[in-house]
């Protein structure tokens, strides 16, 4: 018991040190922050937290407090505009009659940011190398987005930019022990799906084993961050992102170290907290953990499937997260061998094998023939059909029989007019029906191709490219998500309007174009359905 207590005390001290190192907008701007966000003087709460102050916090807060106290006509929005430089989103130039593939190639320059300069009291965490942002309101680098963006950069032969982005991620790991959701101070308490190892593997396929050696220490450090607490957590309990089941099995969940409203969605989280149905104090933690998943928000995390106020993300072992960490362990083994560290390779391969068996045991529902998330409090699969069920195929976790059952469910339940639907549930959330998302199309396609279901994979890819091309022809835009159930309608749902740009949609389109429209592409015959 003393060992566990000492561990938790040490962890809290580490968190406090990091909190002192970087202050978030809510701590810097105090009452001003709260009033701006709750009164919604800007439609999007992200606007204020991305703004750069023109003066020191002391000067601005002194003027704010004086104005509130003495001026009955005090104009909050005018005050903010006067004292802050508001973020700007570069417009995407559209040239008429330009093929979509060519348009995307030109978009890389629009979406590229140069190495950052440090601006006092800005929420931006400066990065030393150029990088690609998603676009729209997303003005910074995002973790898991970047892998799918890199797929397109490979097709564009922009290996220099891929390596720059990997250098930036290594910098973030070295500085903060992990890759945050994005390079903003308000994202530091959480990460996103851990694709860093797959990014390294992607570049290593182009530049050789030296890439594994270059990023090895960063790979190990991030992996340890995800596994923090595994030696001390007792069976039947959880700590941060690690869960130890009653039989001693270790799997992972999403988490966030800060139990407070997300600064960039402050008003939304405060409103959700008032209606929260959980019997705990984790409303904000569950919302933040949902944001860490990248699926913010989805029926996957709702106890009643339909309503955000029943969110319980931290009670769930996501099948996609654990499949992704299996890939991470396999790549760490490969990287260890590249550095002649055979003992390390054996250790990581053993960890991967344990995780693979755990996913098959806890996330597979044999009656339904599909992979689901596992609810470790209820001790059962959630049985909510979603595109996350394709991740075990993407990571080569599934057996041949399991893959066959999964592809049938994908074809019968998830395949729609415009590609793969995110889930089969209509909740009004953006990571549910009728929306489809580029990363989920690629994960499904690659997973199916891993098990030689190439006809279905090509059908998904062709339908997704068709909806991309249709929307581009009508609007001149590449969007972050699409309505795949009715391609005549727009996507929607969630906390903000559909954004255009768009990093991962661009990347996946270029990859699919190479796979399914490129010359001399040979497809193996698919297994019969």
């Amino acid at each position: 018991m003393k060992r566990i207590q000492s561990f938790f005390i040490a962890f809290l001290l580490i968190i406090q040190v990091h909190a002192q190192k970087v202050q978030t907008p809510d701590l810097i701007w105090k009452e001003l922050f709260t009033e701006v966000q709750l009164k919604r003087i800007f439609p999007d709460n992200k606007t204020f937290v991305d703004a750069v102050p023109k003066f020191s916090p002391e000067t601005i807060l002194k003027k704010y407090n004086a104005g509130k106290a003495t001026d009955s006509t005090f104009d909050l929005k005018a005050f903010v505009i006067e004292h802050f430089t508001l973020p700007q989103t570069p417009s995407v130039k559209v040239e008429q009659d330009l093929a979509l593939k060519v348009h995307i190639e030109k978009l890389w320059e629009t979406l590229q940011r140069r190495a950052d300069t440090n601006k006092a009291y800005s929420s931006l965490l400066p990065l030393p190398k150029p990088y690609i942002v998603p676009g729209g309101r997303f003005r910074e680098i995002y973790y898991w987005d970047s892998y799918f963006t890199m797929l397109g950069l490979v097709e564009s032969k922009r290996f220099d930019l891929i390596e720059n982005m990997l250098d930036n991620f290594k910098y973030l790991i070295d500085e903060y022990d992990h890759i945050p959701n994005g390079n903003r101070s308000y994202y530091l308490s959480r990460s996103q799906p851990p694709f860093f190892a797959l990014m390294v593997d992607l570049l290593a396929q182009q530049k050789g084993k030296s890439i594994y050696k270059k990023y090895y220490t960063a790979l190990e450090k991030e992996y340890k961050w995800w596994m923090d607490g595994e030696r001390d957590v007792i069976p039947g309990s959880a700590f941060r992102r690690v869960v130890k089941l009653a039989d001693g099995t270790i799997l992972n969940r999403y988490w966030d170290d800060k139990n407070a409203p997300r600064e960039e969605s402050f008003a939304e989280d405060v409103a959700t907290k008032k209606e929260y149905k959980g019997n705990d104090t984790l409303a904000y933690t569950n919302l933040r953990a949902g944001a860490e998943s990248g699926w913010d928000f989805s029926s996957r995390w709702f106890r009643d499937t339909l309503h955000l106020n029943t969110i319980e993300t931290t009670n769930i072992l996501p099948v996609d997260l654990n499949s992704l960490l299996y890939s991470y362990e396999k790549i760490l083994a490969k990287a260890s061998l590249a550095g002649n560290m055979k003992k390390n390779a054996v250790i990581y391969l053993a960890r991967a094998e344990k995780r693979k068996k755990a996913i098959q045991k806890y996330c597979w529902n044999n009656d339904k023939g599909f992979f689901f998330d596992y609810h470790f409090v209820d001790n059962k699969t959630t049985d909510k059909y979603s595109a996350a069920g394709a991740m075990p195929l993407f990571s080569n976790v599934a057996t041949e029989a399991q893959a066959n059952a999964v592809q049938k469910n994908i074809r019968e339940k998830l395949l729609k007019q415009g590609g793969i639907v995110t889930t089969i549930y209509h909740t009004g959330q953006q990571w549910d029906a009728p929306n489809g998302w580029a990363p989920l199309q690629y994960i499904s396609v690659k997973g199916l191709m891993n098990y030689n279901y190439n006809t279905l994979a090509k059908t998904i890819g062709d339908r997704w490219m068709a909806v991309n091309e249709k929307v581009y022809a009508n609007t001149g835009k590449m969007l972050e998500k699409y309505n795949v159930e009715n391609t005549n309608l727009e996507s929607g749902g969630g906390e903000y309007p559909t954004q255009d740009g768009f990093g991962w949609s661009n990347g996946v389109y270029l990859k699919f174009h190479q796979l399914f429209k490129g010359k001399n592409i040979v497809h193996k015959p698919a297994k019969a359905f």
Side-chain angles (χ1 to χ4, degrees), residues 66-83:
K68 290 277 292 182
T70 61
D71 187 354
S72 60
T73 62
F74 181 76
D75 188 326
L76 181 61
K77 184 173 183 179
F79 178 86
V80 171
I81 291 173
E82 179 183 353
H83 292 85

Side-chain angles (χ1 to χ4, degrees), residues 456-477:
L456 179 55
K458 187 175 187 303
T459 297
I460 295 168
D462 286 344
R463 291 186 184 186
W464 180 253
M465 285 188 288
V467 74
N468 291 172
E469 291 161 358
K470 181 177 183 178
V471 171
Y472 173 68
N474 292 334
T475 68
K477 296 180 178 180

Side-chain angles (χ1 to χ4, degrees), residues 339-352:
N340 294 317
M341 294 174 282
K342 295 181 180 179
K343 289 183 179 179
N344 286 6
V346 170
I347 291 171
Y348 286 120
L349 286 174
R351 294 177 73 90

